[in-house]
Amino acid sequence: MDALNAFFSTPAIRAIWTDQAVIAAMVRFEAELAAAQRDCGVIPAEAAAAIIDTCSSFSLDADKLAADARVAGTMAIPLVKMLKAAVARRDEGAAAYVHYGSTSQDLADTAMVTLARQSLDLLRAELVRLGDALATQVEAHRRTPLLGRTLIQPAAPVTFGWKVAGWLDAAGRSSVALARAGGEACTLQFGGANGTLATHYGEGQRVARVLADRLGLRVPAISWQGGRDRLARLGSELAILCGALGKIGRDISLLMQAEVAEAFEPAGEGRGGSSAMPHKRNPVSSMYLMDAAYRAPALASILAGELASEHERGLGTWPNSLPVLADLFSLAASGIAAAVDIAEGMRVDAQAMQANIDRLYGVVYSEGISLRLSALLGPARAQRIVGQVCEQAISRRTPVAELLKQIPEVTAVLGAADIDTLAGPQPQIAACQPMCSAVLYQWQEQKNLIQED
């Protein structure tokens, strides 16, 4: 069902994790290993040349590789066997130096992290695009009043820009954390049969440094066959990113409800339709965001759950890392693309936002009014007055400000202008501004961190 599941991913990320791309990454490892060993004098230059030349045109059938891997327990064993045979046809003596001093997990893990590096580069660019789009919305709507909602009930107003700033804050932090975890995870795995590179006779670390440099990976202090924490951390950060972006989908889908109708995903021909109800306009980007948020944590838990592996190489605690990471990257790419779609194309109805505030007749300003009157009249009297006024405002459909102006106890300590200010959005709008500014400033710093390689 690869083709049918494609709409829960993106073409760019899928291209990185195709069967042929995985095979190509494995073949590249063998070619670069031969080159590094040649440069360090570990294998003859002639053998390295034969291996590198063979790898440049080597291809194999993915279905056959998969079938053979099912028997062998890893794709590395049949791939190396086929590559040795191909090299032998060119230079029989050189075949002995294919995969020299390496092991199956070196090949599998290093190929996997090279694909992860490509994926991280792709996500990094899209995350910057997302952050910039959200920052634009923060600036555009930092003074647009919006009903705050806590426990799904009306609260004091905020601004829509402030709400988006919350999305940007989480997305920015998750992006930086992902970049850091990704940088650590993109580390060469090269240890040989037991992890010590003993068959390199003292040249193992030098070969590792050259090989890592050729592949664009970090060099570990020690081989990590049994230490999978870098991958678990990467998987966890991918899942956290999916969850953080999922909140955008959750909020927008609720704001799009007809009875709220305050903000909308971009419209388009055939977008979000219904097979049964022609009037429907479903929040499809929100659906993709929430799909990723729901599925990614369970996948990340697989990598975290395998940390306590046995000895130098665990049983069943490493071959599945590739498909798990591929799925996590696919979900993250899907979520980022959906979030970019919303951030760049959302429609905001400021009039509807104000109307939803107005229909509550000012009761959402009760906290500020109560605090001010408590300071002037004492808490008990203030609570009694504000509680009664809020009940009357809803039952009589009369603004709180008008009712307060009819109470002598209140007018004795507050003028009409003060009452209008307390029972209006300006204090709330003003309170949102420092945080909006702080998040926008922070995003510029985060963007630099995300773009660092």
Side-chain angles (χ1 to χ4, degrees):
M1 286 182 52
D2 288 345
L4 296 180
N5 284 332
F7 72 100
F8 284 105
S9 182
T10 66
I13 202 72
R14 289 198 307 276
I16 293 175
W17 296 92
T18 63
D19 292 344
Q20 290 305 317
V22 172
I23 292 170
M26 291 182 170
V27 173
R28 183 188 174 200
F29 170 83
E30 295 295 345
E32 299 294 6
L33 173 61
Q37 290 172 330
R38 175 203 62 202
D39 294 347
C40 296
V42 173
I43 68 172
E46 298 79 7
I51 295 168
I52 294 167
D53 288 346
T54 301
C55 287
S56 67
S57 59
F58 181 71
S59 64
L60 52 85
D61 180 74
D63 290 333
K64 175 171 173 45
L65 179 64
D68 292 346
R70 177 70 180 178
V71 177
T74 171
M75 289 187 290
I77 293 174
L79 185 143
V80 170
K81 181 180 179 181
M82 294 180 212
L83 181 58
K84 280 178 178 284
V87 171
R89 290 192 290 271
R90 182 184 297 263
D91 181 341
E92 188 172 353
Y97 294 101
V98 172
H99 199 65
Y100 184 81
S102 186
T103 193
S104 297
Q105 198 170 349
D106 294 342
L107 171 57
D109 281 344
T110 300
M112 176 180 64
V113 297
T114 58
L115 297 178
R117 181 180 174 82
Q118 294 175 40
S119 300
L120 288 162
D121 288 343
L122 177 66
L123 296 192
R124 182 184 295 118
E126 289 303 297
L127 285 167
V128 169
R129 179 181 172 188
L130 171 62
D132 285 343
L134 290 174
T136 298
Q137 296 290 354
V138 172
E139 197 62 71
H141 295 289
R142 61 188 298 166
R143 296 184 177 278
T144 303
L146 170 74
L147 192 63
R149 295 173 174 95
T150 59
L151 304 183
I152 322 181
Q153 296 300 311
V158 292
T159 69
F160 185 65
W162 182 88
K163 189 178 191 72
V164 177
W167 302 343
L168 175 58
D169 180 50
R173 283 183 283 108
S174 295
S175 299
V176 170
L178 175 61
R180 287 173 176 161
E184 292 180 358
C186 293
T187 297
L188 175 73
Q189 166 52 42
F190 184 51
N194 68 352
T196 65
L197 291 173
T199 55
H200 281 74
Y201 304 104
E203 294 297 325
Q205 289 303 309
R206 191 156 72 98
V207 172
R209 287 192 294 272
V210 175
L211 178 56
D213 185 63
R214 295 183 72 92
L215 291 170
L217 300 174
R218 292 189 179 190
V219 184
I222 187 171
S223 55
W224 51 272
Q225 290 104 315
R228 318 290 287 178
D229 57 292
R230 293 184 185 90
L231 295 182
R233 194 169 294 110
L234 173 58
S236 296
E237 293 300 348
L238 285 165
I240 290 170
L241 174 66
C242 287
L245 299 185
K247 177 167 172 52
I248 300 176
R250 177 78 73 186
D251 285 351
I252 285 290
S253 64
L254 292 172
L255 295 174
M256 273 185 69
Q257 289 183 293
E259 51 269 51
V260 179
E262 293 175 344
F264 305 86
E265 291 185 3
E269 181 66 29
R271 180 189 174 106
S274 167
S275 62
M277 294 174 282
H279 73 280
K280 296 236 7 223
R281 180 182 164 195
N282 295 313
V284 292
S285 288
S286 296
M287 179 187 73
Y288 296 135
L289 282 162
M290 293 165 68
D291 164 72
Y294 290 147
R295 286 200 282 154
L299 289 167
S301 71
I302 295 172
L303 300 176
E306 293 176 343
L307 287 172
S309 61
E310 311 88 357
H311 301 302
E312 281 62 59
R313 183 177 303 150
L315 176 64
T317 55
W318 62 272
N320 63 0
S321 296
L322 189 142
V324 169
L325 268 185
D327 285 347
L328 280 167
F329 273 114
S330 184
L331 289 173
S334 174
I336 295 168
V340 168
D341 179 68
I342 291 173
E344 291 184 343
M346 75 170 76
R347 181 172 68 83
V348 177
D349 191 335
Q351 290 183 332
M353 291 177 179
Q354 187 61 55
N356 284 333
I357 294 172
D358 293 343
R359 69 183 178 82
L360 292 170
Y361 301 102
V363 299
V364 291
Y365 303 114
S366 62
E367 180 188 24
I369 297 169
S370 180
L371 288 174
R372 182 69 180 277
L373 286 178
S374 292
L376 297 171
L377 301 175
R381 291 172 69 190
Q383 285 290 104
R384 173 180 57 79
I385 292 171
V386 174
Q388 291 174 349
V389 164
C390 286
E391 284 187 23
Q392 293 172 3
I394 297 299
S395 63
R396 294 164 53 180
R397 299 186 177 183
T398 303
V400 162
E402 291 186 21
L403 295 173
L404 288 172
K405 292 173 185 177
Q406 298 171 15
I407 300 174
E409 285 178 282
V410 174
T411 56
V413 293
L414 287 175
D418 291 331
I419 292 173
D420 287 337
T421 298
L422 288 170
Q426 291 311 312
Q428 308 295 333
I429 293 173
C432 291
Q433 302 315 303
M435 293 185 187
C436 287
S437 296
V439 169
L440 290 171
Y441 178 81
Q442 174 184 265
W443 167 242
Q444 296 306 313
E445 294 185 326
Q446 290 171 331
K447 181 159 64 170
N448 292 333
L449 293 173
I450 296 166
Q451 291 173 321
E452 287 180 1
D453 190 4

